[in-house]
Amino acid sequence: MLYIHQSTCISPQQTFLEVDLNTVHASSDNKLKVIEPTYEGIPPGILRRMGKAVRIGVGSALPLLKAVSLDGFIIGTANGGMEDCIKFLNQIIQYDEGLLTPGNFVQSTPNAIAGQLGLLTKNKGYNITHVHRGLSFENAAIDAMMMLHEYPSNNYLLGAVDEISAYNYNIDYLSGWYKKEMLSNKELYQTNSAGSIAGESAVMFIVNGDETNAVARLRGIQTLHTTDENSIEKQVNVFIQKHLPDEEKIDLLLSGENGDNRLSKYYTVVESSIGKTTARFKHISGEYATASSFAVWLATQILTTQKVPSHMLQKSGQPSIIKNILIYNNYKGAQHSFILLTKGN
Amino acid sequence: METAALKQQLKEQIISFLNLLSVKPEDIKDDEPLFGEGLGLDSIDSLELIVLLGREYGIDIKDPKEGRKILVDVNTMVAYIEAHRTK
Amino acid sequence: MSRIVVTGIGVISAIGNTVAENRMALQDGKCGISTLSLLPSKYAGLMPFGEIKITTEELKQKLRATEHGITRTSLLALHAFDEAIKDSQLSHDEITAIDTALIGASTVGGMCLTDELYNDANKNEGGSEYLSSYDCASVNIYLQERYKINGPVNTINTACSSSANAIMFGVRLIKAGIVSRAIVGGVDSLAKFTINGFNALHILSADICAPFDEQRKGLNLGEGAAFLVLEKEEDAANKKIYAEVSGYCNANDSFHPSSLSDEGDGPYLSMKGALEVAGLTADKIGFINAHGTATENNDMVESTAMLRLFGTPPAFASTKSNIGHTLGAAGAIEAVYSILNLTRQEVYAGLNCHQPISATGLVPVQAYKKMPLQHVMSNSFGFAGNCTSLIFSTI
């Protein structure tokens, strides 16, 4: 059993330490970039080396590192330090494989985030980085669930990070995953075109097997690889039957609808199947491989406050009680996940 | 180039190359150890400084261990640059 | 609790395209490290590499894999994956079952295509066919799509310990009851990116590497892939079983981004933890397939940790002097080699160690020999101090 306790989030909205989800910060140039805090606690000697992904990953974890003694770090990131990776690649081309500085190379490895966290805390426990594209966070969460099953009294830092590097953006733009037309994030769901807008975040959770004072319980998580919406429709019902007792119900569907008209069929079948209040989040997070981690963080906020920010509601109407939240997300229409969260006691 | 000017230039280059945020050239003393204490650089920085010497001054240092004997402080670096620069 | 056993293995490396070829080469003490002849790089001729002497085109033809955007990394993975599942005699239904996982690892992914990545990342043209092939996940997504795998799929990247962690993750998925079987492994192909990165860190050797030798000068990069099929013992009743995955542990050294601490806490803890999971005392390990990259740092620290844990370490050797350091594939390839040690009751020579490290006096196995073995340990230690040890045991 996995219980979520404290959490932090650096995102394009006001979410770090002080949370204000009622104000929607606007996108710029079809990108939702994070609001970075001043980082207290990262020694300057280490901070200077960090690319953005490592910086926001480590920065978001810092407040939690002091909260509890951790037994390991379990991180999901699809692209890791991609910016550093391409900077190093640019050096290779520019200097024709000549004299190159190693700093970018060392920081570019996806496990630089988890590795840096281990270094900062001198933590010798389990340290892993999952990089399975749009299911990087989900695999990290499954890993954390297994670790807590194996070591029930341990505490782990479970998290996910992905940044908009100029280079990632270019590659995904060329593939047609981002809008060709300029728009504001506030009109994301009104467009009828392919693609979405880019986003980024660093989300960290302290998780353990103790239900006391837990904010939420991760009751179930399922990943799927398919392009068939009928399969999604079938599987969401199987998932709910498996993880939710008959006497309970889903109170809120948190949907990863991202404004890409090619993907709306998946969200439509799930919304029809669930038939409950649907809230959407990608207009405030943007689209990226680990956006589901932001959704889980949002869900913990909603479970605590018992309120859905109105701009997230697909149709009007706040649920009166929010106990069970189902998150459905997909990445590039091929990697899908269902995550069921229940309010802690 | 005069030694004093070279020292100033080198300090600026070290700061920029190693991305030493919030360090100014005047903060770096000429005889302050670069590694360990003083500026507190580490082994990856020493490799980066070797690249700096190569790119800016045409100095080729193949063995990082030999490099550490040159990279003691600004004074030793400048002395080596003056003796060996090809650019 | 079921024992988790290995029912199929596949490997491709600089010393052979199959398990049988690799074994023969190991027996003969063959070294597959040579001059680069296929990858265009300034380093061809300057440094030796464990290059697989098959062109990417030849791999495409041989494997009938001409899909849009396929990379050398995916092709090498496919080669070893094919061999493993045929070896395990997995049926189509079993491969596509919802309770069959695929857990792979890679550090290079499609970044072996340096020029294409440079152009796409800098938006220089309209976009190459490789746009969705650059990340590490692309390899496993390719295998998933080609084989219609329906169970959980995952990709792990923890640098040099990646595929050892993938094996460990697969074992744990089965033990947790999430899946019934897991195909686990890893791959990496040679790439300008990693060659230049390691060279910038000054840890590549201009000579063929000499693990655990006093005069060692660094590592040689290699390429390759390996996959293993893991099942519960009771499901493998009618199959040949190679070995049990009896122990596993991941620990972190947490000392420096690219080197291990002198005391070797990371390696010590991963080896100790693996023994605990296996329920074994140190003296039960008959042989260690060491990480043994031949860098000054790794071999000294690994030796220190072995002495700390074992007192008198068992026989050990590194196979990186046969095939080079295959990064994301290393854990899996060396797991296959450890299984060969066990199933054949033999150990292979650790090449090029002429003078042991003076501070430790430890000498790796010097010549091929038959040896009774019940438990073999395999170590993989990566950047950021990520250390994983696996133990394989006879059934």
Side-chain angles (χ1 to χ4, degrees), chain C residues 62-100:
Chain C
K62 181 179 180 191
L63 297 166
R64 285 193 272 273
T66 50
E67 293 95 332
H68 182 82
I70 193 167
T71 65
R72 183 178 178 81
T73 313
S74 291
L75 288 162
L76 291 175
L78 179 61
H79 199 288
F81 182 90
D82 268 357
E83 186 183 13
I85 56 173
K86 283 195 183 86
D87 188 36
S88 170
Q89 297 184 302
L90 281 180
S91 65
H92 173 78
D93 284 350
E94 285 172 318
I95 295 170
T96 58
I98 201 140
D99 60 348
T100 297

Side-chain angles (χ1 to χ4, degrees), chain A residues 49 78-79 82 84-86 88-90 92-102 104-112 114-116 118-119 121-133 135-136 139-140 142-144 146-147 149-151 166-175 222-225 235 332 334-335, chain C residues 40-43 98 106 111 114-115 117-123 125-128 131-138 140-141 144-145 149-159 165 168-169 172-173 175-176 178 192-201 248 250-258 265-266 269 277 383-384 386:
Chain A
R49 284 216 172 106
N79 293 307
M82 184 66 155
D84 272 289
C85 170
I86 304 296
F88 190 71
L89 185 63
N90 286 344
I92 293 174
I93 305 291
Q94 187 185 352
Y95 294 101
D96 194 27
E97 298 189 83
L99 264 183
L100 307 176
T101 55
N104 292 140
F105 177 70
V106 174
Q107 285 293 314
S108 72
T109 58
N111 71 316
Q116 202 65 241
L119 261 176
T121 53
K122 301 250 167 281
N123 185 296
K124 304 209 157 65
Y126 187 63
N127 192 299
I128 195 92
T129 304
H130 296 275
V131 300
H132 197 62
R133 204 178 283 176
L135 297 176
S136 303
N139 276 304
I142 290 167
D143 196 350
M146 290 199 294
M147 281 313 268
H149 183 71
E150 293 159 43
Y151 304 99
Y167 307 107
N168 266 357
Y169 185 85
N170 287 343
I171 289 169
D172 279 339
Y173 181 87
L174 287 172
S175 303
Q222 166 98 39
T223 62
L224 287 155
H225 184 100
Q235 290 304 324
K332 297 184 173 173
Q335 295 179 303
Chain C
S41 163
K42 205 183 91 166
Y43 295 95
I98 201 140
S106 175
M111 296 200 300
T114 314
D115 295 328
L117 175 57
Y118 177 78
N119 286 326
D120 285 337
N122 287 292
K123 217 170 162 191
E125 287 148 29
S128 75
L131 288 169
S132 54
S133 310
Y134 295 121
D135 62 358
C136 308
S138 62
N140 295 314
I141 289 174
Q144 174 170 34
E145 288 176 351
I149 293 170
N150 284 303
V153 180
N154 190 19
T155 312
I156 289 176
N157 184 343
T158 53
N165 282 328
M168 185 172 149
F169 191 77
R172 292 165 57 228
L173 276 176
K175 283 193 173 176
I178 296 173
K192 272 195 217 173
F193 184 78
T194 32
I195 292 172
N196 280 275
F198 277 76
N199 190 55
L201 285 166
Y248 43 86
N250 169 273
N252 216 38
D253 194 56
S254 292
F255 170 73
H256 184 274
S258 56
D265 280 350
L269 289 169
V277 169
F383 272 176
N386 200 292

